[in-house]
Amino acid sequence: MASEDITKLAESLAKTKVGGGQLSFKGQSLKLNTAEDAEEVIKQIEEFDGLEALRLEGNTVGVEAAKVIAKALEKKSELKRCHWSDMFTGRLRSEIPPALSSLGDALIAAGAQLVELDLSDNAFGPDGVRGFEALLKSPACYTLQELKLNNCGMGIGGGKILAAALKECHRKSSAQGKPLALKIFVAGRNRLENDGATALAEAFGIIGTLEEVHMPQNGINHPGITALAQAFAVNPLLKVINLNDNTFTEKGAVAMAETLKALRQIEVINFGDCLVRSKGAVAIADAVKEGLHKLKELNLSFCEIKRDAALTVAEAIEDKTELEKLDLNGNCLGEEVCEQLHEILEGFNMASVLGSLSDDEGEEDDDEEEEEDEDEEEEEEEEQQQLKERGAEEQESLTPKKIIDSQASTPVPSPPVDVATFLAFPSPEKLLRLGPKCSVLIAQQTDTSDVEKVVATLLRISSVFKDEAPVKTAVHETTDALMKKAFSSATFNSDAFISNLLVHMGLLKSEEKIKTVPSLYGILMTLNHMVQQDYFPKSLAPVLSAFVTKPNRALDSCSFARHMLLQTLHQL
């Protein structure tokens, strides 16, 4: 390390906050790659007597630096709080698990008894959970009260690993007469989906001591919501439930409403942007009316709630003297109903609790077609989910080549798939069934002189992206063949391509009415691979970075993929 770098590090460490048993390096942007880089940090840790809390947020710690910091922590048996969010900025995903493993092993060796573990905003994915799995199962976490894993990209696999570790921790700690008594669980923006949520629900049901659960933006539908509702019912101390931006529909909302009737300590309900719809809102209103006297906040914004249901919700809060906020913004009410809501709450002397209604969608025709079709839609959704899961199970241990081989040797017929069929109705299974030459076939049949066609094909390929190796490999190889052909053509307009792509992603406005892709996860993960390839024009990187950095609701729901892409662009 150069002398000027050491001086800079020393100056930064001079700002280190010490007090109340806490040593903080928060937000110092330290780049700790080697053991030498970490010398000053280690010195601070070693010289701190009675270390109870260590803050490493806002720095970047590499594998070698983590090992020597871990060595210093082996003697810190009094450590209780690890504030370790956002401490791997710019690191490869492969670096994070071993770094976490070293730190976790040190806490176990020290005989620490943790109360809080915060690893939020570390894009470690499913593999990263393996990095602290042993720690969660160890005596160091038998005393854990707060576990925060927001925005880590755990996915379904990571959610299942986490759930199993929590159950094992509870089993082992119970055997010693002091069961794990987790109070706060945070895991928003992790793509847990139904399977991950259901696995965690099983763990929650066993633990039974939760007071706050925050799981927004996880792509959870009503089967996962129902599983969580059943688990919440056996956690009688629950005060805060935040499931914002998942998809309840009526089934999930009714299940959650039944659970709310059994809970007596609830203070905050955040079901905003959860598509509870009118019937779901009425069920929740009934639960509120029957009890929940400690309720302080009820968020049912952007849930496709119509006039009568909204009025029912307002009437349900009449005797909720602790209520501070009722959010019904972004529903389908209309001006007249908005006025009625104000009048009802004024009658209760509670007008001040009603939040803004500035984003109201206006009154819709109150035909019952949507409500009547909802059960059918949900049944179809369940069938599709089951088919998807069965397909995933069949693919799990197969590479594309093995799938082709197995088709050749197995008498079970499969419908033929060609490029046109895949592009018309893309799916992971169809892409794999195109065989080893899928990348060549798609590139050959795409007119790469037409920017629109290239963008449309790329979006269809990326839409089937999955973290499973066979599918991910097929998507990457097909993308490479297509884009290498396009960018190498003298007639291909790269600037027009990136502009067109941004429009279809909903990140750039167009004068024409363009249908944007429903989810940005696949294209963001595919772009993360594309920008690292030699064929990708580096001149496009700043443009892409600028638009992906801008605030955008569609990007917020894919925060892990967004973070990965921005990290990669930053390193170019």
Side-chain angles (χ1 to χ4, degrees), residues 539-559:
S539 61
L540 298 181
V543 179
L544 189 57
S545 180
F547 280 92
V548 176
T549 304
K550 285 183 179 180
N552 185 289
R553 193 173 179 184
L555 286 170
D556 288 343
S557 63
C558 302
S559 55

Short mmCIF file of all heavy atoms in Angstrom, two decimals, residues 539-559:
data_model
loop_
_atom_site.label_atom_id
_atom_site.label_comp_id
_atom_site.label_asym_id
_atom_site.label_seq_id
_atom_site.Cartn_x
_atom_site.Cartn_y
_atom_site.Cartn_z
N SER A 539 -18.73 2.52 -25.21
CA SER A 539 -19.31 3.88 -25.25
C SER A 539 -20.76 3.90 -24.79
O SER A 539 -21.30 4.95 -24.42
CB SER A 539 -19.23 4.42 -26.69
OG SER A 539 -19.97 3.59 -27.58
N LEU A 540 -21.41 2.72 -24.80
CA LEU A 540 -22.82 2.64 -24.38
C LEU A 540 -22.96 2.51 -22.86
O LEU A 540 -24.04 2.73 -22.31
CB LEU A 540 -23.52 1.46 -25.05
CG LEU A 540 -23.60 1.47 -26.58
CD1 LEU A 540 -24.35 0.24 -27.07
CD2 LEU A 540 -24.26 2.74 -27.08
N ALA A 541 -21.87 2.14 -22.18
CA ALA A 541 -21.93 1.89 -20.73
C ALA A 541 -22.39 3.12 -19.94
O ALA A 541 -23.26 3.00 -19.07
CB ALA A 541 -20.59 1.39 -20.22
N PRO A 542 -21.85 4.33 -20.20
CA PRO A 542 -22.30 5.51 -19.43
C PRO A 542 -23.78 5.82 -19.64
O PRO A 542 -24.46 6.25 -18.70
CB PRO A 542 -21.42 6.64 -19.98
CG PRO A 542 -20.24 5.97 -20.58
CD PRO A 542 -20.74 4.68 -21.12
N VAL A 543 -24.28 5.60 -20.85
CA VAL A 543 -25.70 5.85 -21.14
C VAL A 543 -26.56 4.89 -20.33
O VAL A 543 -27.53 5.28 -19.67
CB VAL A 543 -25.99 5.68 -22.65
CG1 VAL A 543 -27.47 5.92 -22.93
CG2 VAL A 543 -25.13 6.62 -23.46
N LEU A 544 -26.19 3.62 -20.40
CA LEU A 544 -26.94 2.59 -19.66
C LEU A 544 -26.90 2.87 -18.17
O LEU A 544 -27.92 2.80 -17.48
CB LEU A 544 -26.33 1.22 -19.98
CG LEU A 544 -27.09 -0.01 -19.49
CD1 LEU A 544 -28.51 -0.03 -20.02
CD2 LEU A 544 -26.35 -1.27 -19.91
N SER A 545 -25.73 3.21 -17.66
CA SER A 545 -25.57 3.50 -16.23
C SER A 545 -26.44 4.66 -15.79
O SER A 545 -27.08 4.62 -14.73
CB SER A 545 -24.10 3.79 -15.93
OG SER A 545 -23.92 4.07 -14.56
N ALA A 546 -26.49 5.71 -16.61
CA ALA A 546 -27.27 6.91 -16.26
C ALA A 546 -28.74 6.58 -16.10
O ALA A 546 -29.39 7.05 -15.15
CB ALA A 546 -27.08 7.98 -17.34
N PHE A 547 -29.29 5.77 -17.00
CA PHE A 547 -30.72 5.47 -16.94
C PHE A 547 -31.06 4.43 -15.87
O PHE A 547 -32.13 4.48 -15.26
CB PHE A 547 -31.22 5.01 -18.32
CG PHE A 547 -31.46 6.14 -19.27
CD1 PHE A 547 -30.47 6.56 -20.14
CD2 PHE A 547 -32.68 6.81 -19.29
CE1 PHE A 547 -30.68 7.62 -21.01
CE2 PHE A 547 -32.90 7.87 -20.16
CZ PHE A 547 -31.91 8.28 -21.03
N VAL A 548 -30.16 3.50 -15.64
CA VAL A 548 -30.41 2.48 -14.60
C VAL A 548 -30.26 3.10 -13.21
O VAL A 548 -30.86 2.63 -12.23
CB VAL A 548 -29.46 1.28 -14.78
CG1 VAL A 548 -29.64 0.26 -13.66
CG2 VAL A 548 -29.72 0.60 -16.12
N THR A 549 -29.49 4.17 -13.10
CA THR A 549 -29.30 4.84 -11.81
C THR A 549 -30.52 5.68 -11.42
O THR A 549 -30.81 5.84 -10.23
CB THR A 549 -28.05 5.76 -11.88
OG1 THR A 549 -26.93 4.97 -12.25
CG2 THR A 549 -27.77 6.40 -10.52
N LYS A 550 -31.23 6.20 -12.41
CA LYS A 550 -32.37 7.08 -12.13
C LYS A 550 -33.45 6.35 -11.33
O LYS A 550 -33.69 5.16 -11.52
CB LYS A 550 -32.99 7.58 -13.44
CG LYS A 550 -32.18 8.65 -14.14
CD LYS A 550 -32.92 9.13 -15.39
CE LYS A 550 -32.15 10.23 -16.10
NZ LYS A 550 -32.87 10.68 -17.32
N PRO A 551 -34.17 7.09 -10.43
CA PRO A 551 -35.27 6.48 -9.69
C PRO A 551 -36.36 5.99 -10.64
O PRO A 551 -36.75 6.70 -11.56
CB PRO A 551 -35.80 7.64 -8.82
CG PRO A 551 -34.67 8.62 -8.75
CD PRO A 551 -33.94 8.50 -10.04
N ASN A 552 -36.80 4.76 -10.43
CA ASN A 552 -37.82 4.18 -11.29
C ASN A 552 -38.47 3.02 -10.55
O ASN A 552 -37.78 2.15 -10.04
CB ASN A 552 -37.20 3.69 -12.61
CG ASN A 552 -38.23 3.19 -13.60
OD1 ASN A 552 -38.83 2.14 -13.41
ND2 ASN A 552 -38.44 3.95 -14.66
N ARG A 553 -39.77 3.03 -10.51
CA ARG A 553 -40.48 2.02 -9.72
C ARG A 553 -40.22 0.60 -10.25
O ARG A 553 -40.10 -0.35 -9.47
CB ARG A 553 -41.97 2.32 -9.76
CG ARG A 553 -42.77 1.53 -8.74
CD ARG A 553 -44.19 2.02 -8.73
NE ARG A 553 -44.98 1.26 -7.78
CZ ARG A 553 -46.28 1.42 -7.62
NH1 ARG A 553 -46.91 2.33 -8.33
NH2 ARG A 553 -46.95 0.70 -6.75
N ALA A 554 -40.15 0.48 -11.57
CA ALA A 554 -39.91 -0.85 -12.15
C ALA A 554 -38.53 -1.37 -11.75
O ALA A 554 -38.35 -2.56 -11.51
CB ALA A 554 -40.02 -0.78 -13.67
N LEU A 555 -37.57 -0.47 -11.65
CA LEU A 555 -36.22 -0.87 -11.23
C LEU A 555 -36.19 -1.22 -9.75
O LEU A 555 -35.45 -2.11 -9.33
CB LEU A 555 -35.24 0.26 -11.52
CG LEU A 555 -34.84 0.47 -12.99
CD1 LEU A 555 -34.05 1.76 -13.14
CD2 LEU A 555 -34.03 -0.71 -13.51
N ASP A 556 -36.99 -0.52 -8.95
CA ASP A 556 -37.01 -0.77 -7.51
C ASP A 556 -37.41 -2.20 -7.19
O ASP A 556 -36.94 -2.79 -6.23
CB ASP A 556 -37.97 0.20 -6.81
CG ASP A 556 -37.43 1.62 -6.77
OD1 ASP A 556 -36.22 1.79 -6.97
OD2 ASP A 556 -38.22 2.55 -6.55
N SER A 557 -38.30 -2.76 -8.02
CA SER A 557 -38.77 -4.12 -7.76
C SER A 557 -37.75 -5.17 -8.21
O SER A 557 -37.93 -6.36 -7.97
CB SER A 557 -40.11 -4.37 -8.48
OG SER A 557 -39.94 -4.26 -9.88
N CYS A 558 -36.67 -4.73 -8.88
CA CYS A 558 -35.60 -5.64 -9.29
C CYS A 558 -34.28 -5.11 -8.75
O CYS A 558 -33.27 -5.03 -9.48
CB CYS A 558 -35.53 -5.73 -10.81
SG CYS A 558 -37.05 -6.29 -11.59
N SER A 559 -34.27 -4.73 -7.50
CA SER A 559 -33.13 -4.01 -6.94
C SER A 559 -31.83 -4.83 -6.96
O SER A 559 -30.75 -4.28 -7.14
CB SER A 559 -33.44 -3.56 -5.51
OG SER A 559 -33.84 -4.66 -4.73
#
